[in-house]
Amino acid sequence: MAHDPSYTNQEFKVIGTRPPRPDGLDKVTGRAKFGADAFAPGQLVGLILRSPHPHAQIRKIDTSKAEKLQGVKAVITSADMPDLTNGNRNMLDILENCMARGRALYDGHAVAAVAAIDMPTARKALKLIKVGYEILPHVTDVDEAMKPDAPIVQPYVRTTGVEPKPKKASNVSQVTQFGHGDVEAGFKEADVIIEKSYKTEQTHQGYIEPHACLASVGPDGQGELWVTTQGHFAFREVCAKLLGMEVAKLKVTASEIGGGFGGKTHVWMEPVALALSRKANRPVKLVMSREEVFRSTGPTCSTSVDVKIGAKKDGTITAATATLRYQNGAFPAIWAMLGAMTSYACYNLKNVKTVGYDVLVNRPKVTAYRAPSAPMAAFAVESTIDQVAEAIGMSPIDFRIKNAAKEGTRASYGPKYGPIGIGPTLEAAKNHPHMRARLGKNQGRGMACGFWFNFGGQTCTDLNIGVDGTVTLTVGTVDVGGSRASLSLIAAEELGIAYERVKCNIADTGSLGHNDMTEGSRGTFSSGMATIFAARDVIEVLRERAAKTWEIPVEDVVWEGGQAVAKGKAHGNLTPLTLSDLAAASPNSGGPIAGHNEVVADGAGVSFASHICDIEVDPETGATKVIRYTVIQDAGKAIHPDYVEGQFQGGAVQGIGWALNEEYVYGEDGRLQNPGFLDYRIPVCSDLPYIDTQILEIPNPNHPYGIRGVGETSIVPPLAAIGNAVSNAAGVRMTHVPMSPPRILKAIKSEQAELAAG
Amino acid sequence: MAMRYETPATTKEAATLMAKAKGSAFLLAGGTDLLVRMKSGMIEPDLVVDIKHIAATQSIKKSASGFRIGAAVPAAAMGEHPALKKAWPGVVEAANLIGSDQIQSRCTIVGNLCNASPAADSVPALIAAGAKAAIVGPKGRRTVPVEKIVTGPGTMSLKKGEVIEAITLPKRPPKSGDAFLRFIPRTEMDIAVVSAGVSLTLDNKRVVKKARVALGAVAPTVVLVPAAARAIVGSKLTDDVLEKLAAACSAACSPIDDKRGTVEFRTEVAGVLARRAAKIAYQRAGGG
Ligand SMILES: Cc1cc2nc3c(=O)[nH]c(=O)nc-3n(C[C@H](O)[C@H](O)[C@H](O)COP(=O)(O)OP(=O)(O)OC[C@H]3O[C@@H](n4cnc5c(N)ncnc54)[C@H](O)[C@@H]3O)c2cc1C
């Protein structure tokens, strides 16, 4: 049945309430089963041997001693994972990242793996594998990697997006460009031009649960994978392809997930676990250590960005440009392109141009991290915006309001906006009491805006009515942030029943059609849409069953307040039939009552946020303290406001960590120096103030309830908001993230020295 | 070979076990360093000797000559000892900065010292306090100033079979105060990038009569800085004196650039922390 996804301004009964999440009790009592919590009879322990070198030719791998060790059931190298990708370079890159093929490309790159009866045996076996490395020159810095004499990370890569097509290999995998108008003409009109360069260091998503899976492949070509993932359908397709299996023969079950933030949208060691299991003919459990997570799974890019913005004295921006260099680790991707697209998405600009350089270095393969690429671009742009405002003597908030994009604005990345929330979030920020709160000594206030596209995509949902009238909702999007609660609310709303009567399950890949991953803030948007439609299908069935029971035309039956009601004078004496009545009668009225929907949920509404924060800086040590933090964001419609606020707060906290302390530190030797939570400093509870939130609801016209994704935008403004606050507090412009105490103190000292020198 | 685990009842027995041990042998106090190193595979001991069953290591004793803190006393117990807190607030605050509540309910100052890290939190405070280590070895007992125990990152002057039974703190003269400050980028669960311990005694005119200043994480071991002490003795900690103290501390630094901080940063902040710690200690001593 065709359903209309348009927004209808329907009145809600349960949407917007805050019931407890169905997975909450199990999670707080430790009963929930995460990636490492599955067990199979006869299971083996898998371990991966990783390169200690950032770049090395693998001359020889001698596994004979390890194979002979008692208790070892399989040892594999890339020879056990042949290239079945048929010329698909992207897939081959994924395979190569899972297991080095002739060359180790970063410190932590997998070179071999073992499966053994227990952990001590597996550890011993790893030590017995002898790898002959020939160390090659390496490069880990994005700007260094772009120099003509830099070591080449991937000899097959030719820069795309430039004319003429280059013949020589380069570390720049692609150049992309966005914008409109004539920026040169625009700069000529400007009264003030600010031009500045910025750097941000590499950070990791820092999910608390390491990657873990239990893989089992039999000689009959059938397999199962239990895994912590944001998208088990995608994992199934990738793993099946890399291992030469048929998609339907591999069943993937998503465990509960202890955080992903983009890092679990990608396979890292799951194909290795399957290959080990296939060779050993036993189930294999593979659980990464924290060190492995840091050294070999998807951090986000480190970046180097130049920004130039010109404005007239009246506050109009006349032209804006950005050049963005993002390192992607050792494999080509599109992260600089996303940075180039998002840079100026908040503003209504006549002349704008952004250029992205995607760059390869000897670091782990970069993957998505919450609104991937946008925070770094926003740091550079929003820091410059503040400086332009200051130079023309306007307040940062008024300057932003004056230039904010609105309905009908042509976005710098191409499309024309529909109704959007940037203006309203800025107005709300301007009117927020936080903006007027007094600042103490050495304290500074900063603000910044952020944008994220959001994504819709393929979705498929089942809704089944039990004989007691309770509802089983089956979805295929992994619940990373409370979506089971939100989707249950949606089912309850449509059916007119209590939230408690709905149970939402995440199906394995054998039980439901394809679902795209939980990424792009799409979970509640897209599965919510499919749930609405599946429920409406069920209501059709329920009306038919009631009509049949009453022997009246189905047109005379309406679904109201959780029951079928006969409409029309002729049926006035018919007692309404509740969902429970109809469910109880279902075995004899036509069998199971079920609804189903599959949809490509287009029209995910773009999302905007404005953040305000106050920071105190100790001018003698460079230490910072976040005094106050406020997030204002457009949610379209907050289905379950607790979890919307949770997303706002979570993004802000990750942004605070990134802005102030988190960073990958590489030594001269190209090795990661801090692969652990002691020296990779995510904020601890006592580092943070209460994060205040304000939800705005500007309906997305392309969703029945007006939902927009909310999960990602919240990490976009913090780097810049904190950068502006620190700069105001310290009296010196900070251009390098993280703004760790040594960097802040150094900036203060050089500013003092400069002032002293006159 | 399986690991042997022993729980001797006396320090002498512990020393004998350690002296006779073949292969790698480790003493176990709170285990917050040792177990982490074992679990991460950095060490694979053949013998672990747990000192927590030895009576002499269990308690904090106050006597005419000062305090004696047993080697198995957790940092949390130091924070719950009113007399110790009153006499040596700087030592106690240093011990109570280690890790978190969970860590402090286990970890000891002896373990902190014998982990032999230049960044150990309690050590600058102990050295500033003039603390001594009471050592029991196969050949008898000896007492050594704390600053003589650690010789470099991970290395100590203790001989095979020697066990620290307790740390002693001297008797506190009136008008004395001590303080400890460390710099970490976070608020807790972190390792000192720089730290400073200051202990001082004033005369009746609030002039500093005696002082000891020690710095952490700025050299291969925690360093005692006599020049810094000299800078403040005879003064009332006026601003110019504090500047001299800071300069002496910065001059005593020979740190490294690493993931936790730069040479520049450590050198600068060592002076800042010493200055701030001295002011707190001065106030605690009644200097106002
Ligand atoms: C999460 C976490 C946070 C931490 N935070 C901090 C911090 O903020 N500041 C800090 O300084 N440290 C910190 N540490 C390190 C550690 O907690 C401290 O060094 C602690 O004081 C060690 O004491 P322990 O009793 O647990 O030592 P143990 O682990 O028992 O022993 C440490 C070393 O001393 C040796 N040893 C033990 N007893 C004796 C003895 N009687 N004689 C001779 N040698 C002995 C052991 O063989 C071992 O080599 C942290 C550790 C963890 C796990």
Side-chain angles (χ1 to χ4, degrees):
Chain A
M1 191 180 154
H3 293 280
D4 182 3
S6 305
Y7 175 68
T8 59
N9 198 13
Q10 149 182 4
E11 253 182 54
F12 294 122
K13 287 207 179 75
V14 294
I15 296 297
T17 61
R18 302 170 184 245
R21 60 202 286 166
D23 48 317
L25 186 70
D26 279 0
K27 280 185 178 157
V28 298
T29 55
R31 219 182 295 167
K33 282 174 74 182
F34 289 89
D37 295 325
F39 299 90
Q43 85 183 29
L44 303 173
V45 174
L47 271 188
I48 295 179
L49 183 69
R50 298 182 180 279
S51 166
H53 307 298
H55 197 190
Q57 197 75 42
I58 300 169
R59 287 278 168 235
K60 189 172 184 267
I61 306 183
D62 181 359
T63 58
S64 56
K65 281 207 180 111
E67 276 158 25
K68 280 187 206 123
L69 184 67
Q70 199 180 0
V72 171
K73 300 295 177 187
V75 182
I76 64 167
T77 65
S78 61
D80 299 278
M81 303 178 77
D83 176 11
L84 307 172
T85 60
N86 231 339
N88 181 338
R89 189 63 228 197
N90 282 343
M91 290 303 285
L92 183 57
D93 281 349
I94 295 173
L95 185 67
E96 185 173 3
N97 187 44
C98 290
M99 188 64 75
R101 308 179 80 75
R103 238 162 13 105
L105 297 169
Y106 54 90
D107 165 40
H109 198 172
V111 294
V114 301
I117 50 166
D118 57 23
M119 188 53 94
T121 310
R123 281 214 184 107
K124 226 180 257 169
L126 274 200
K127 286 187 190 155
L128 292 174
I129 299 173
K130 293 285 164 261
V131 186
Y133 291 106
E134 178 192 329
I135 296 173
L136 301 171
H138 68 273
V139 59
T140 55
D141 179 78
V142 62
D143 290 321
E144 292 297 320
M146 286 180 74
K147 291 186 176 159
D149 55 347
I152 292 293
V153 179
Q154 291 282 17
Y156 82 84
V157 167
R158 304 286 177 278
T159 312
T160 63
V162 289
E163 288 298 335
K165 279 192 182 148
K167 293 202 176 69
K168 264 180 57 190
S170 164
N171 286 331
V172 179
S173 62
Q174 69 168 355
V175 181
T176 48
Q177 195 174 314
F178 299 89
H180 53 249
D182 179 346
V183 289
E184 287 319 314
F187 283 123
K188 282 200 189 106
E189 283 176 51
D191 296 317
V192 165
I193 296 176
I194 301 278
E195 202 172 352
K196 205 131 209 160
S197 297
Y198 303 86
K199 276 203 129 177
T200 69
E201 295 302 327
Q202 184 155 39
T203 57
H204 195 274
Q205 297 86 348
Y207 29 83
I208 295 306
E209 183 201 22
H211 297 272
C213 70
L214 175 60
S216 179
V217 183
D220 57 359
Q222 299 192 67
E224 289 191 19
L225 180 68
W226 163 275
V227 60
T228 176
T229 171
Q230 289 175 247
H232 43 314
F233 291 92
F235 271 38
R236 174 177 67 163
E237 274 150 43
V238 172
C239 289
K241 179 132 202 158
L242 296 183
L243 283 122
M245 297 173 75
E246 288 171 309
V247 168
K249 301 274 174 67
L250 178 61
K251 186 175 97 175
V252 182
T253 308
S255 71
E256 289 294 342
I257 181 169
F261 313 109
K264 290 177 184 163
T265 58
H266 195 80
V267 299
W268 306 105
M269 47 59 157
E270 295 78 5
V272 175
L274 288 162
L276 278 171
S277 169
R278 182 166 62 185
K279 190 159 182 187
N281 195 15
R282 297 256 293 262
V284 173
K285 184 148 141 189
L286 201 52
V287 179
M288 278 196 189
S289 66
R290 179 60 57 185
E291 182 182 327
E292 288 181 285
V293 171
F294 274 114
R295 285 171 71 206
S296 61
T297 74
T300 189
C301 322
S302 53
T303 72
S304 157
V305 181
D306 310 324
V307 168
K308 184 175 173 186
I309 299 176
K312 284 202 240 175
K313 284 219 175 80
D314 73 353
T316 314
I317 297 177
T318 57
T321 62
T323 306
L324 309 101
R325 297 166 293 269
Y326 282 38
Q327 62 84 0
N328 292 320
F331 298 93
I334 57 162
W335 305 118
M337 182 182 96
L338 291 181
M341 291 172 80
T342 59
S343 304
Y344 288 105
C346 292
Y347 298 105
N348 180 15
L349 302 175
K350 228 170 91 189
N351 307 300
V352 57
K353 180 178 159 187
T354 59
V355 184
Y357 293 88
D358 276 300
V359 184
L360 301 178
V361 297
N362 295 109
R363 294 197 191 205
K365 179 186 165 74
V366 162
T367 194
Y369 178 14
R370 209 168 189 162
S373 304
M376 306 81 128
F379 171 63
V381 167
E382 292 290 296
S383 296
T384 314
I385 289 276
D386 256 38
Q387 294 165 76
V388 178
E390 194 190 339
I392 60 172
M394 242 173 129
S395 80
I397 182 89
D398 288 332
F399 183 59
R400 285 181 172 85
I401 288 172
K402 181 157 178 87
N403 292 288
K406 44 188 174 291
E407 189 164 357
T409 293
R410 174 143 179 235
S412 55
Y413 64 96
K416 253 199 177 115
Y417 287 131
I420 53 170
I422 180 65
T425 65
L426 281 167
E427 292 291 346
K430 185 172 178 171
N431 295 322
H432 199 285
H434 185 168
M435 269 299 186
R436 290 183 300 279
R438 292 256 311 249
L439 287 169
K441 201 177 161 211
N442 296 325
Q443 294 180 354
R445 177 163 301 142
M447 71 155 309
C449 306
F451 156 88
W452 187 241
F453 308 96
N454 293 334
F455 178 59
Q458 303 176 69
T459 310
C460 187
T461 294
D462 274 345
L463 201 153
N464 287 284
I465 310 295
V467 284
D468 62 351
T470 56
V471 174
T472 304
L473 174 63
T474 307
V475 302
T477 43
V478 172
D479 179 357
V480 295
S483 62
R484 272 168 294 192
S486 297
L487 298 173
S488 299
L489 279 171
I490 291 173
E493 183 71 48
E494 285 296 316
L495 294 169
I497 57 172
Y499 166 81
E500 290 73 22
R501 287 176 68 188
V502 183
K503 166 79 196 199
C504 181
N505 298 309
I506 314 294
D508 60 55
T509 58
S511 312
L512 200 64
H514 175 90
N515 275 267
D516 286 339
M517 306 207 212
T518 301
E519 62 178 353
S521 301
R522 65 177 292 276
T524 303
F525 169 78
S526 61
S527 281
M529 189 184 286
T531 299
I532 293 171
F533 297 157
R536 289 177 185 175
D537 279 359
V538 161
I539 289 170
E540 285 315 299
V541 178
L542 292 165
R543 283 174 57 224
E544 278 161 22
R545 298 288 170 93
K548 210 164 134 192
T549 312
W550 287 325
E551 298 180 334
I552 64 171
V554 69
E555 296 74 43
D556 292 354
V557 181
V558 293
W559 188 259
E560 259 176 23
Q563 50 189 10
V565 179
K567 280 276 149 100
K569 282 204 185 95
H571 319 307
N573 56 351
L574 291 173
T575 315
L577 290 167
T578 64
L579 181 61
S580 301
D581 295 337
L582 291 162
S586 66
N588 302 316
S589 72
I593 300 172
H596 175 82
N597 184 260
E598 61 247 336
V599 62
V600 179
D602 287 328
V606 292
S607 154
F608 292 90
S610 294
H611 290 197
I612 318 166
C613 80
D614 298 348
I615 305 269
E616 185 173 307
V617 173
D618 179 338
E620 290 184 326
T621 64
T624 49
K625 189 171 172 199
V626 187
I627 304 293
R628 185 168 177 179
Y629 203 104
T630 305
V631 177
I632 302 161
Q633 188 176 318
D634 174 18
K637 176 72 204 169
I639 301 301
H640 191 305
D642 272 359
Y643 303 144
V644 172
E645 287 160 7
Q647 293 295 324
F648 289 8
Q649 291 165 327
V653 168
Q654 287 187 311
I656 289 169
W658 189 345
L660 294 177
N661 279 309
E662 292 177 39
E663 77 179 290
Y664 268 42
V665 180
Y666 276 90
E668 289 290 319
D669 57 3
R671 289 182 185 164
L672 183 59
Q673 305 286 302
N674 57 339
F677 279 138
L678 181 55
D679 289 306
Y680 180 89
R681 297 187 172 90
I682 63 172
V684 296
C685 218
S686 50
D687 291 337
L688 299 163
Y690 179 77
I691 310 281
D692 199 6
T693 57
Q694 188 179 341
I695 304 173
L696 301 188
E697 294 186 326
I698 295 136
N700 174 7
N702 306 314
H703 190 284
Y705 291 3
I707 296 174
R708 297 174 195 268
V710 298
E712 293 171 288
T713 311
S714 51
I715 202 174
V716 183
L719 308 190
I722 292 163
N724 288 332
V726 170
S727 301
N728 290 334
V732 53
R733 176 52 56 180
M734 297 304 299
T735 57
H736 195 160
V737 158
M739 292 164 275
S740 56
R743 281 199 189 108
I744 293 177
L745 189 61
K746 192 171 179 180
I748 293 175
K749 291 271 157 198
S750 3
E751 179 81 0
Q752 283 169 352
E754 229 165 85
L755 288 178
Chain B
M1 198 182 78
M3 186 192 87
R4 224 171 100 216
Y5 170 75
E6 297 286 350
T7 55
T10 65
T11 317
K12 186 95 220 274
E13 276 174 56
T16 308
L17 280 164
M18 291 297 288
K20 287 191 179 150
K22 294 193 185 71
S24 74
F26 289 88
L27 290 162
L28 173 73
T32 61
D33 276 318
L34 195 71
L35 295 187
V36 175
R37 280 158 71 206
M38 282 169 65
K39 285 201 169 173
S40 68
M42 282 161 69
I43 53 169
E44 289 172 354
D46 300 306
L47 170 68
V48 168
V49 177
D50 190 342
I51 61 159
K52 287 194 290 297
H53 298 258
I54 302 171
T57 67
Q58 307 279 358
S59 57
I60 302 174
K61 288 210 174 88
K62 188 175 186 238
S63 69
S65 58
F67 288 88
R68 190 174 198 282
I69 304 165
V73 170
M78 293 171 64
E80 288 158 9
H81 197 288
L84 180 66
K85 260 172 92 169
K86 188 151 177 277
W88 295 103
V91 170
V92 174
E93 76 192 346
N96 287 344
L97 275 176
I98 298 175
S100 60
D101 286 355
Q102 293 94 322
I103 296 294
Q104 282 161 34
S105 70
R106 272 292 186 187
C107 75
T108 65
I109 51 174
V110 168
N112 197 218
L113 173 65
C114 297
N115 189 48
S117 156
D121 274 325
S122 66
V123 178
L126 288 174
I127 291 178
K132 294 193 168 110
I135 300 167
V136 175
K139 291 191 186 130
R141 293 176 171 270
R142 63 188 183 114
T143 300
V144 174
V146 164
E147 59 268 30
K148 295 270 156 60
I149 298 287
V150 178
T151 53
T155 59
M156 285 191 291
S157 60
L158 293 182
K159 298 193 185 69
K160 185 168 162 80
E162 285 194 320
V163 179
I164 297 180
E165 189 180 63
I167 296 288
T168 61
L169 291 166
K171 183 172 185 281
R172 208 58 172 135
K175 287 198 167 294
S176 297
D178 69 335
F180 174 80
L181 289 174
R182 69 170 178 184
F183 186 87
I184 54 170
R186 286 190 288 211
T187 44
E188 57 180 338
M189 298 303 285
D190 218 326
I191 296 224
V193 182
V194 205
S195 62
V198 176
S199 173
L200 36 82
T201 301
L202 313 183
D203 68 13
N204 286 335
K205 294 188 181 114
R206 297 199 211 151
V207 170
V208 178
K209 199 163 70 179
K210 270 191 192 159
R212 281 169 73 91
V213 178
L215 300 173
V218 295
T221 64
V222 173
V223 285
L224 185 65
V225 191
R230 280 197 300 273
I232 56 174
V233 168
S235 83
K236 287 187 170 178
L237 288 196
T238 46
D239 285 348
D240 56 325
V241 169
L242 287 168
E243 279 317 312
K244 279 187 197 141
L245 163 75
C249 285
S250 294
C253 294
S254 55
I256 51 166
D257 271 325
D258 71 0
K259 59 200 172 188
R260 294 184 187 137
T262 57
V263 168
E264 204 184 343
F265 181 79
R266 287 182 155 122
T267 306
E268 172 78 22
V269 175
V272 173
L273 292 190
R275 179 154 42 84
R276 291 178 181 179
K279 272 169 116 169
I280 299 169
Y282 188 69
Q283 218 166 24
R284 285 176 178 166

